[in-house]
Amino acid sequence: MEWEAVIGLEVHVQLATKSKIFSGAATTFGAEPNTQACAVDLAMPGMLPVMNEEAVRMAVMFGLAIGAEINTRSVFDRKNYFYPDLPKGYQISQLDHPTVKQGKLDIQLENGEKKTITVTRAHLEEDAGKSLHEDFHGMTGIDLNRAGTPLLEIVSEPELRSAKEAVAYLRKLHSIVTYLGISDGDMSQGSMRCDCNVSVRPKGQKEFGVRTEIKNVNSFRFVEKAIQGEIERQIDLIEEGGKVTQETRLYDADKDNTRSMRSKEFANDYRYFPDPDLLPIEIDDAYIEAVRSTLPELPEQKLARFCSEYGLSDYDAGVLASSRAQADYFEAATKIVGDAKLTANWIMGELAKRLNQNSLDISQSPVTAEGLGKLLLRLKDNTINGKAAKDVLEAMWNGEGEADEIIEKKGLIAVTDDSAIEAFVDEVLANNAAQVEQYKAADEAKRGKMIGFFVGQTMKISKGKANPQQVNEILAKKLS
């Protein structure tokens, strides 16, 4: 039987406010436990929440960015459940009247086609604290620094059909919230994490299968592995005569599988009711339009501009525009070089290789955009050749200085004098008479590959300083 997966995501995005959603406590990551939790976050008797307007503004920004309708009247509710790291015994969230209503988001599939995913809603809520199990000798410690941190929960319709589609959707969301500047999107610090609702059904069947929810997956790679593993588990279970149970599961990255966490609570179990301590949020059209006027250029707009303004291909523009930091880096470097294609090639090639090897984001690159721009300027004006440029980049990566300083120190200035290069070529041809005869005896189709030998020998004699294009031209003349 052919099976089809049905996937919906609930993505929790930590909003980049300086203080919490209902208190003035700071939200800085990495502080000592319980140093960023005030009386409101600790749920001390008599403490009342006060709405952080900045969180509302950020939610509205997101809604406008995905073409969603903004609710002019949204309401906070109490979602009741008991966890040790939730001292109030309830989480303040939004149920029937979220700030952001339905919107759309386009993703690109592996075959290059676009698919539109419906965003059901995006609602504001507070985060809970964190349970600490290490260093407490059989007990559990509680850190309430995260309690009250503002979250935007973005819920999709179950329109994703594979783990790769889910990752494409998540990457697109990540791109949008970071472009907007409403979240740093740092998944390693919990700024963006994902609950994955997964079910399977025979292909062609309209009814959904029984779904499971995989909680708090915090990397693109883990989301893909967790969903793919869960799809295969459910199919195997059904084909062996078993039944999928509606439950919450956890992804174990070490074992690369999911395991049962608890049976799934239904919405009614939370006993939602409007929070009596918070007034409804009422915003008007003037406010919405004022927020709309602050929206930055978004990924798809930037991609289109990169194609039209810089003449880049859809692929190059798409890669560079996939993150705001990378797009800004590209434009800053291009401004110095004046050659967009050359800059794009080096960012997507040599620089990306080093970033990937060191698991760094481009915003953490030891080589700044200005530094790369100055290096490529020396490549473009033939001060250095391509091989030397790679050596300079490596030195810059290792903190040995700026491009001009390294070029001077290492004596990497290219040899571009025709007579000097001709002398190198003559020496190579004289030292390799047999290869010259073989080259001249070969047909045209083989000569293209054979000339590489002479180019390599010439570059070796010139200690890598000869201009390769000039070497090729002079060799072609002398061997003709």
Side-chain angles (χ1 to χ4, degrees):
M1 180 179 293
E2 192 172 356
W3 295 91
E4 178 179 66
V6 178
I7 303 160
L9 299 184
E10 298 172 17
V11 182
H12 292 83
V13 174
Q14 179 178 331
L15 297 175
T17 58
K18 293 180 180 176
S19 58
K20 294 183 178 176
I21 190 168
F22 301 121
S23 82
T27 56
T28 309
F29 178 80
E32 286 294 314
N34 296 312
T35 58
Q36 294 188 164
C38 68
V40 174
D41 308 318
L42 296 171
M44 299 300 286
M47 295 297 103
L48 294 175
V50 177
M51 182 66 218
N52 184 339
E53 190 271 338
E54 185 66 358
V56 177
R57 188 186 68 82
M58 290 179 172
V60 173
M61 284 184 78
F62 174 76
L64 295 174
I66 62 165
E69 183 182 347
I70 306 301
N71 225 340
T72 53
R73 186 176 190 275
S74 52
V75 176
F76 283 106
D77 302 278
R78 291 185 178 181
K79 182 181 180 181
N80 297 276
Y81 62 100
F82 176 75
Y83 276 177
D85 53 14
L86 187 67
K88 289 195 296 287
Y90 60 85
Q91 178 189 27
I92 301 177
S93 182
Q94 295 179 322
L95 179 61
D96 294 325
H97 305 284
T99 300
V100 179
K101 299 165 82 173
Q102 191 176 88
K104 300 284 185 184
L105 189 150
D106 290 337
I107 62 172
Q108 188 159 19
L109 306 181
E110 283 189 304
N111 61 8
E113 292 180 2
K114 284 189 176 177
K115 179 175 181 177
T116 300
I117 304 299
T118 306
V119 174
T120 313
R121 54 185 277 152
H123 60 262
L124 288 162
E125 64 182 25
E126 61 178 345
D127 205 351
K130 182 180 179 183
S131 297
L132 306 172
H133 304 292
E134 297 179 355
D135 302 326
F136 288 93
H137 307 291
M139 298 182 289
T140 297
I142 301 296
D143 176 10
L144 294 174
N145 278 356
R146 289 193 67 90
T149 296
L151 301 178
L152 186 65
E153 180 172 335
I154 303 164
V155 182
S156 80
E157 289 291 297
E159 297 172 343
L160 300 161
R161 292 291 175 266
S162 71
K164 289 190 181 299
E165 283 188 17
V167 172
Y169 169 83
L170 194 59
R171 285 189 183 279
K172 188 64 177 288
L173 269 186
H174 185 273
S175 176
I176 290 173
V177 300
T178 53
Y179 260 79
L180 292 171
I182 63 173
S183 175
D184 63 18
D186 191 332
M187 299 179 81
S188 68
Q189 296 182 0
S191 296
M192 193 167 171
R193 54 191 193 269
C194 179
D195 297 343
C196 315
N197 291 296
V198 182
S199 66
V200 297
R201 63 183 176 187
K203 197 155 190 175
Q205 176 179 300
K206 289 185 178 179
E207 294 77 20
F208 293 159
V210 177
R211 66 182 166 87
T212 59
E213 182 183 48
I214 311 169
K215 293 291 286 184
N216 285 330
V217 192
N218 64 351
S219 84
F220 298 122
R221 186 165 63 94
F222 290 165
V223 165
E224 182 172 351
K225 291 168 80 73
I227 291 175
Q228 186 58 39
E230 181 60 13
I231 292 170
E232 292 170 5
R233 185 192 72 85
Q234 290 188 17
I235 292 173
D236 289 345
L237 183 63
I238 296 170
E239 290 185 341
E240 290 169 2
K243 289 185 178 179
V244 177
T245 305
Q246 182 164 330
E247 61 183 351
T248 300
R249 301 180 69 85
L250 280 179
Y251 175 67
D252 186 329
D254 293 330
K255 297 180 180 176
D256 189 24
N257 62 22
T258 63
R259 67 172 186 272
S260 181
M261 180 181 173
R262 60 175 183 266
S263 61
K264 175 65 180 174
E265 300 97 330
F266 290 89
N268 289 339
D269 290 336
Y270 292 122
R271 296 172 291 116
Y272 280 99
F273 63 87
D275 192 310
D277 293 336
L278 286 160
L279 292 171
I281 302 171
E282 295 195 351
I283 56 180
D284 56 22
D285 291 343
Y287 179 86
I288 294 172
E289 291 311 310
V291 174
R292 192 192 304 276
S293 69
T294 67
L295 292 182
E297 185 180 42
L298 292 169
E300 290 181 6
Q301 297 166 325
K302 200 176 284 286
L303 186 158
R305 182 169 65 79
F306 280 5
C307 290
S308 61
E309 185 175 331
Y310 297 114
L312 298 179
S313 66
D314 280 348
Y315 175 78
D316 288 354
V319 171
L320 293 169
S322 62
S323 85
R324 184 170 179 173
Q326 185 160 259
D328 290 347
Y329 189 104
F330 162 73
E331 292 210 270
T334 297
K335 190 175 180 181
I336 296 172
V337 188
D339 188 327
K341 181 58 180 170
L342 177 66
T343 308
N345 288 345
W346 275 73
I347 291 175
M348 295 163 59
E350 292 298 319
L351 186 67
K353 181 176 72 176
R354 287 171 174 77
L355 292 170
N356 291 335
Q357 287 171 346
N358 293 277
S359 301
L360 294 177
D361 183 79
I362 199 166
S363 61
Q364 302 167 305
S365 172
V367 179
T368 64
E370 290 73 19
L372 181 68
K374 290 176 181 176
L375 165 61
L376 297 183
L377 196 57
R378 293 292 168 257
L379 178 60
K380 189 182 178 189
D381 65 15
N382 289 325
T383 300
I384 56 175
N385 60 33
K387 179 182 181 308
K390 292 178 184 177
D391 293 340
V392 175
L393 180 65
E394 181 66 23
M396 292 172 71
W397 183 274
N398 293 328
E400 296 179 30
E402 293 295 313
D404 285 348
E405 181 184 352
I406 294 167
I407 292 168
E408 179 69 25
K409 192 190 305 178
K410 293 181 178 288
L412 296 174
I413 294 176
V415 176
T416 56
D417 180 75
D418 278 345
S419 60
I421 296 176
E422 194 166 341
F424 292 141
V425 169
D426 288 341
E427 184 179 345
V428 169
L429 297 182
N431 292 340
N432 298 279
Q435 286 83 351
V436 171
E437 290 305 316
Q438 289 173 4
Y439 176 88
K440 290 183 175 178
D443 56 39
E444 197 62 33
K446 291 183 179 177
R447 285 184 174 185
K449 292 182 179 177
M450 294 173 72
I451 200 169
F453 167 77
F454 301 108
V455 174
Q457 291 299 308
T458 306
M459 295 303 293
K460 187 176 179 182
I461 288 178
S462 72
K463 298 180 179 175
K465 295 181 181 179
N467 181 292
Q469 185 178 346
Q470 290 172 271
V471 170
N472 271 287
E473 290 171 354
I474 293 171
L475 272 168
K477 284 181 186 174
K478 288 185 176 290
L479 289 169
S480 62

